[in-house]
Amino acid sequence: MIDYDKLIDVYLKYPDRGDFAPIADGDKVCILYTGNVGLGKARHLVFSTGAKASFREVERQEILAELERLEASRDDEFEGDIGDFEDVSDILSASYDDAPIIKLVNQTIIQAAKNGASDIHFEGLTGKFAVRFRIDGKLHTVKQYPKSLQESIIARIKVVSDLDVAETRKAQDGRINLRIGNRDVDIRVSTVPSVTGEKAVLRILEKSKSLVTIDKTGLPENLVPRFRKAIKRPNGIILVTGPTGSGKTTTLYAALQELVSDDTNIMTIEDPVEYQMEKITQVQVNRTVDITFASAVRAFLRQDPDIILIGEIRDTETAQAAIQASLTGHLVLSTLHTNNAPTAVARLIDMDVEPFLLSSSIVAVLGQRLVRKLCPHCRKEVSAEQYVKDFFMIEGLEIEKYYEPVGCDRCLHTGFSGRLGVFEMLTITDGIRKLINERADSSAIAKEARNAGYKPMMCHGYEMVSSGITSPNEIIAVSGND
């Protein structure tokens, strides 16, 4: 039988390894794969090496994690891969023997991608320069450097994102397209001047990240059939509400995965396009050539669409375009920034949408937040404190014990690992439509919704706390002010 290390050497020479990966299984080899393409590559590897191996189908993320581990153990191979870029030629193509600043920026971006960070902050402090990663929604300081490095690091970031290096007095926006290992990564760069020098923030969007299905968003079991029923309607507006970074777009794309088919024309207008899907038409906002949310929706209506996804309703023009699209027989999916689901109706009325049009077009509003999941390896059970009991007692929910974070090596000593959605869903009933026509406030709408079975986000949070998924403080932070 072929030696395992030799098998890995052959495997690492494949140009595209994101669909399959071999692992040691005792004294044998097991090859992980995803989809028919991955299975075909796995069988080719076995045939070409003469190895005896078993096969196991898994999620793509598990394969990418194993691939990163294998590549990290082959430093030369890994360093060769990270020089493979699309639109930007030099972000990581420089040798690690080159200038220390280039190496520092390269390693920081690689480390952030491997740690699952959504943002990298390069910011000046008094007498020093710090690098912070946002992981699971929280910022963590990972490095501090001498203040003298600040200008050089910011200049390097500007060079690779095609910004004006000489301009330090105004904010600038740019982007970097790169490939780290087998990950296609799109980085949005923003720089602003401050009293402690220029600050740069890099938002990491992973193109190759697998899309989440409705069943894996964290939507509670009682809401899943209601949400599926809503998105299967031929027309109307379905809104997902919540603050920036609460997973609204992820939820909408989970819905699109169930709606996409050969007999359906789906069109989206987004800023930016975060996920790329087959069989749908995706358009990115470009104000330079007058491609806005509203103008794109008007253009879509001449393209014979069945379903339209609007990245965000943020002004009167977009809101009215969405209403008109829904009233002319199209299903419209969009997001809105509000504190909770009942407030969404009042927010649209504030945008000068006529109540009678809104009441006849809106179908459902899904409120959403993201909470951090407790690390299963170090969480500990404790007796409920009085403030936690009082918080849940508002909804008549009793709690005696729950789990709280501790921290270990597996969760970077944060006590948390990953995030999950916490939801509430408002279905528009005849009673709510009547209140909308009367321009009722959000509290009256919430009261009527409760009579029809609406449960606030706190109730889903209680289920998550009771089952040990998250801590009460996470739920209090996202729903305490609702």
Side-chain angles (χ1 to χ4, degrees):
M1 180 176 175
I2 190 169
D3 180 78
Y4 177 68
D5 288 334
K6 290 182 180 179
L7 178 72
I8 297 300
D9 289 337
V10 173
Y11 164 71
L12 288 175
K13 291 177 182 177
Y14 275 71
D16 186 0
R17 304 181 289 274
D19 300 313
F20 73 119
I23 61 171
D25 185 12
D27 57 350
K28 299 180 181 178
V29 175
C30 176
I31 302 185
L32 310 179
Y33 73 91
T34 178
N36 292 330
V37 174
L39 180 58
K41 293 177 182 177
R43 286 174 173 168
H44 182 271
L45 175 65
V46 170
F47 176 78
S48 61
T49 59
K52 293 183 179 179
S54 59
F55 302 91
R56 178 157 58 92
E57 186 171 11
V58 297
E59 294 289 335
R60 183 177 176 84
Q61 290 303 108
E62 186 175 339
I63 292 172
L64 291 176
E66 182 62 27
L67 177 54
E68 284 188 3
R69 187 190 67 78
L70 291 172
E71 288 178 327
S73 66
R74 305 298 205 270
D75 291 336
D76 293 339
E77 184 73 25
F78 184 73
E79 289 179 9
D81 280 348
I82 60 179
D84 182 12
F85 287 88
E86 298 172 357
D87 298 334
V88 178
S89 61
D90 66 343
I91 170 64
L92 295 180
S93 58
S95 167
Y96 274 20
D97 295 328
D98 288 349
I101 296 300
I102 295 176
K103 179 179 178 180
L104 186 153
V105 173
N106 294 353
Q107 289 181 333
T108 301
I109 294 174
I110 294 169
Q111 191 60 45
K114 290 180 68 176
N115 288 351
S118 61
D119 301 86
I120 311 171
H121 290 238
F122 295 88
E123 56 186 315
L125 305 174
T126 304
K128 54 190 173 184
F129 180 67
V131 176
R132 300 200 289 172
F133 293 168
R134 186 176 294 279
I135 301 174
D136 292 339
K138 300 293 182 180
L139 279 171
H140 305 272
T141 300
V142 293
K143 290 284 186 180
Q144 289 189 350
Y145 299 103
K147 185 73 172 178
S148 58
L149 294 182
Q150 181 171 355
E151 289 187 12
S152 299
I153 291 174
I154 298 297
R156 174 61 184 168
I157 293 171
K158 286 183 175 180
V159 168
V160 297
S161 53
D162 200 22
L163 300 180
D164 186 352
V165 178
E167 181 56 75
T168 61
R169 299 166 298 172
K170 67 179 183 181
Q172 298 187 68
D173 294 314
R175 63 188 295 173
I176 308 168
N177 291 306
L178 62 133
R179 187 175 177 88
I180 300 176
N182 278 269
R183 295 182 178 188
D184 290 314
V185 179
D186 184 14
I187 298 179
R188 303 304 166 97
V189 180
S190 172
T191 65
V192 295
S194 74
V195 294
T196 55
E198 278 192 284
K199 174 178 179 176
V201 176
L202 281 59
R203 164 68 54 96
I204 301 174
L205 302 173
E206 192 173 329
K207 297 178 185 177
S208 55
K209 197 170 186 179
S210 58
L211 292 170
V212 175
T213 62
I214 288 179
D215 294 321
K216 293 186 178 180
T217 58
L219 199 67
E221 290 183 5
N222 64 310
L223 294 185
V224 169
R226 291 172 55 192
F227 184 61
R228 282 199 166 111
K229 181 180 179 181
I231 65 175
K232 294 295 174 64
R233 286 176 57 99
N235 56 59
I237 295 180
I238 297 172
L239 295 174
V240 180
T241 71
T244 301
S246 59
K248 301 186 296 295
T249 303
T250 301
T251 299
L252 288 180
Y253 266 91
L256 287 186
Q257 284 190 90
E258 298 207 356
L259 297 173
V260 65
S261 65
D262 289 334
D263 59 2
T264 304
N265 181 18
I266 301 176
M267 307 190 74
T268 78
I269 173 67
E270 304 166 71
D271 185 21
V273 175
E274 295 185 26
Y275 302 96
Q276 294 186 9
M277 278 183 66
E278 296 292 332
K279 298 183 180 180
I280 71 175
T281 303
Q282 297 172 279
V283 180
Q284 183 159 312
V285 168
N286 187 346
R287 292 175 181 81
T288 306
V289 291
D290 196 32
I291 299 178
T292 64
F293 287 118
S295 66
V297 172
R298 289 193 292 269
F300 287 173
L301 294 179
R302 298 188 290 273
Q303 293 278 317
D304 186 31
D306 297 296
I307 300 167
I308 297 174
L309 186 149
I310 305 173
E312 180 187 345
I313 295 178
R314 59 175 66 155
D315 54 42
T316 300
E317 189 181 12
T318 306
Q320 292 176 344
I323 295 288
Q324 291 301 320
S326 69
L327 292 175
T328 52
H330 306 89
L331 180 66
V332 178
L333 309 177
S334 188
T335 70
L336 194 65
H337 287 172
T338 62
N339 287 334
N340 53 36
T343 310
V345 175
R347 177 82 178 96
L348 289 172
I349 292 176
D350 287 342
M351 289 183 179
D352 294 329
V353 175
E354 290 293 340
F356 73 93
L357 294 177
L358 182 60
S359 64
S360 58
S361 61
I362 193 164
V363 174
V365 182
L366 190 71
Q368 175 173 350
R369 299 287 194 283
L370 287 180
V371 295
R372 292 180 295 172
K373 296 190 295 182
L374 287 167
C375 174
H377 305 286
C378 63
R379 65 180 184 176
K380 70 174 183 178
E381 190 176 45
V382 297
S383 298
E385 296 185 51
Q386 191 59 44
Y387 79 94
V388 174
K389 292 181 178 180
D390 293 341
F391 173 76
F392 287 112
M393 190 54 68
I394 296 173
E395 290 292 327
L397 305 170
E398 296 183 3
I399 188 167
E400 296 298 329
K401 292 185 178 181
Y402 58 83
Y403 288 90
E404 66 177 18
V406 177
C408 64
D409 290 338
R410 300 195 187 192
C411 61
L412 302 177
H413 297 281
T414 62
F416 297 93
S417 178
R419 291 191 292 177
L420 200 62
V422 53
F423 298 88
E424 63 184 13
M425 184 170 176
L426 175 69
T427 303
I428 307 301
T429 61
D430 290 338
I432 293 176
R433 288 191 178 91
K434 182 179 178 181
L435 291 174
I436 294 173
N437 289 329
E438 296 171 356
R439 294 180 179 268
D441 58 22
S442 57
S443 59
I445 292 174
K447 184 177 180 180
E448 174 63 28
R450 284 175 180 270
N451 296 333
Y454 162 76
K455 293 183 178 180
M457 199 173 291
M458 183 194 303
C459 296
H460 183 207
Y462 171 79
E463 295 175 7
M464 297 175 72
V465 171
S466 300
S467 57
I469 295 174
T470 190
S471 71
N473 288 337
E474 288 290 301
I475 302 302
I476 292 172
V478 300
S479 63
N481 296 325
D482 288 355

